[in-house]
Amino acid sequence: MADAALRLQVLLEKLLGTPLPVRIRAWDGSRSGPPGAPALVVHNRRAVRRLLYRPGELGLARAWVAGDLDIEGDLYTVLDLLAGLVWERGDDARGTLEILRDPEARAAVRGLVRLGGLPLPPAPPPEEVRRPRHLHTRRTDKRAISHHYDVGNDFYELVLGPSMVYSCAYWQAPPPEGTLEDAQRDKLDLVCRKLGLKAGMRLLDVGCGWGSMAVHAAREYGVDVVGITLSQEQAAYARKRVADEGLTDKVEIRVQDYRDVADGPYDAVSSIGMAEHVGAERYLEYADVLHALLKPGGRLLNHQIGRRPQRDESSYQVDEFIDAYVFPDGELQPVGVTVAQLERAGFEVRDVEALREHYALTLRRWVANLEDHWDRAVRLTGPGRARVWRLYMAASALAFERNRIGVNQVLAVRTPDSGASGMPLRARVWGG
């Protein structure tokens, strides 16, 4: 009798203490759960063992990446439904000790063990990277950047589109009225205008990616740009773009750590989507280095993802899935902490612009690009890595939409002792 789905549903609901919001389709063809709801497809018993050995987010992620678990229906809807069980239950979540004290929950665990088959822990998927702690040395940072960015330039072209900008776009109108390419161009131009770039200035682009900001600033504003990255693949791609644009006399791309830049001062510094890799313990050092690289009166534009603050900041933990599969050693901090650290380094913060909704729109466009080119993406990176990216970007889009995380452009000035910041009296004009 095919009844694995019903057994899974009953056991999981006992264990979680709440009804499952999704249907289950199991490896024996059985189905169970709320009619009309999207379904979790459990392809094999190994998925059950993964969840038993690592309950919660990491176990689900391992099963997804390995292909043991799939989704039938809209990915965003399923992730939103599961968020209440996995990520957002807070004080309502049943702790391990409570489960062990509850006879029905203990019986559910035993039932899942029997259903899962041989009680051996499955090996994590090969795409997983696990390290004991975040060191943020030059060596570990380079290795973490390589894991994330050296996936292959062809793969990133599929996801990011022709702009090859891997950070939040700036939408004048949401899709389909606005295109991703226009929104990314507008974001680069917004950064250039905030920095007050003019012909003849020197710009340092920290974490330059595939060279989009460097090319735009040199071509449209006539500045001389040094772009730095720790990714060999990014640097090779960026150098070719610079050459194709005829800008080799204006743009230099280096494989270099920001801590090793020694040819300042610069008139302006852009850091777009890079500071998330710095780490909380190193953030003041990062701010100090950029402050020292700027001329008096020079501006920094720091574009960075931030998380919501917690009442007890000591309880903050890095997201397990992101740390293991996407951004090893990446850390998020609240925007207030970012502003405070920049000011401790000597900067005067002049403007903070939140672009949270813009990143949600950007991520949904990237997910659509990946899904539209799924077969080629799998050929380029393998099914596991492609599944990592689909889950990571879709879950991140929902996190931005639900205000679990945000992204902010912080404009700061190395204001000289005279107090003359060089900023206009009305940097932004509000309306509407």
Side-chain angles (χ1 to χ4, degrees), residues 160-420:
L160 305 181
S163 67
M164 284 299 279
V165 180
Y166 185 37
S167 57
C168 170
Y170 189 63
W171 298 85
Q172 304 298 328
E177 292 83 5
T179 69
L180 178 61
E181 288 66 42
D182 287 345
Q184 291 292 15
R185 181 202 61 228
D186 289 345
K187 188 272 299 296
L188 297 177
D189 208 64
L190 177 67
V191 172
C192 291
R193 287 185 281 113
K194 286 183 176 182
L195 289 172
L197 297 184
K198 296 179 177 63
M201 284 184 169
R202 293 185 76 215
L203 168 68
L204 176 65
D205 187 28
V206 181
C208 66
W210 293 270
S212 301
M213 175 64 188
V215 166
H216 185 87
R219 185 184 61 217
E220 304 299 329
Y221 289 82
V223 299
D224 297 313
V225 187
V226 172
I228 60 172
T229 176
L230 295 179
S231 166
Q232 295 284 351
E233 289 196 25
Q234 283 187 333
Y237 189 99
R239 288 170 183 150
K240 184 177 185 305
R241 288 182 77 181
V242 169
D244 290 346
E245 291 274 353
L247 293 170
T248 52
D249 62 328
K250 302 290 290 180
V251 179
E252 179 188 359
I253 303 295
R254 304 173 185 167
V255 177
Q256 187 175 38
D257 191 286
Y258 71 93
R259 290 162 284 197
D260 296 328
V261 177
D263 61 344
Y266 288 85
D267 297 286
V269 174
S270 54
S271 178
I272 306 172
M274 178 271 178
E276 298 88 341
H277 299 287
V278 169
E281 292 185 3
R282 296 282 188 180
Y283 202 88
L284 184 56
E285 177 188 13
Y286 159 81
D288 282 336
V289 168
L290 299 191
H291 185 269
L293 285 168
L294 273 170
K295 292 179 179 178
R299 300 180 191 178
L300 163 69
L301 191 287
N302 189 78
H303 178 116
Q304 180 179 342
I305 297 171
R307 61 175 173 84
R308 300 292 299 170
Q310 299 184 3
R311 288 186 178 274
D312 177 12
E313 278 292 315
S314 66
S315 66
Y316 167 67
Q317 293 182 329
V318 174
D319 182 279
E320 284 190 301
F321 167 62
I322 299 293
D323 193 45
Y325 288 97
V326 185
F327 286 111
D329 287 355
E331 294 178 72
L332 302 183
Q333 60 185 13
V335 64
V337 175
T338 295
V339 168
Q341 295 286 63
L342 291 173
E343 293 205 321
R344 283 180 64 194
F347 282 105
E348 179 189 8
V349 171
R350 297 296 303 235
D351 186 74
V352 179
E353 184 173 7
L355 301 175
R356 177 172 62 82
E357 293 88 350
H358 292 259
Y359 218 154
L361 291 171
T362 305
L363 282 156
R364 282 184 177 262
R365 188 60 259 169
W366 289 344
V367 171
N369 285 348
L370 177 59
E371 291 175 343
D372 289 345
H373 301 92
W374 182 256
D375 291 342
R376 183 155 185 252
V378 169
R379 288 196 300 271
L380 287 171
T381 68
R385 185 62 66 90
R387 291 171 71 85
V388 165
W389 279 82
R390 185 172 178 234
L391 177 61
Y392 143 64
M393 293 191 298
S396 296
L398 289 172
F400 281 106
E401 289 169 356
R402 303 297 185 262
N403 193 27
R404 294 197 290 272
I405 54 177
V407 62
N408 306 280
Q409 286 192 351
V410 180
L411 178 64
V413 181
R414 180 177 175 172
T415 303
D417 293 341
S418 68

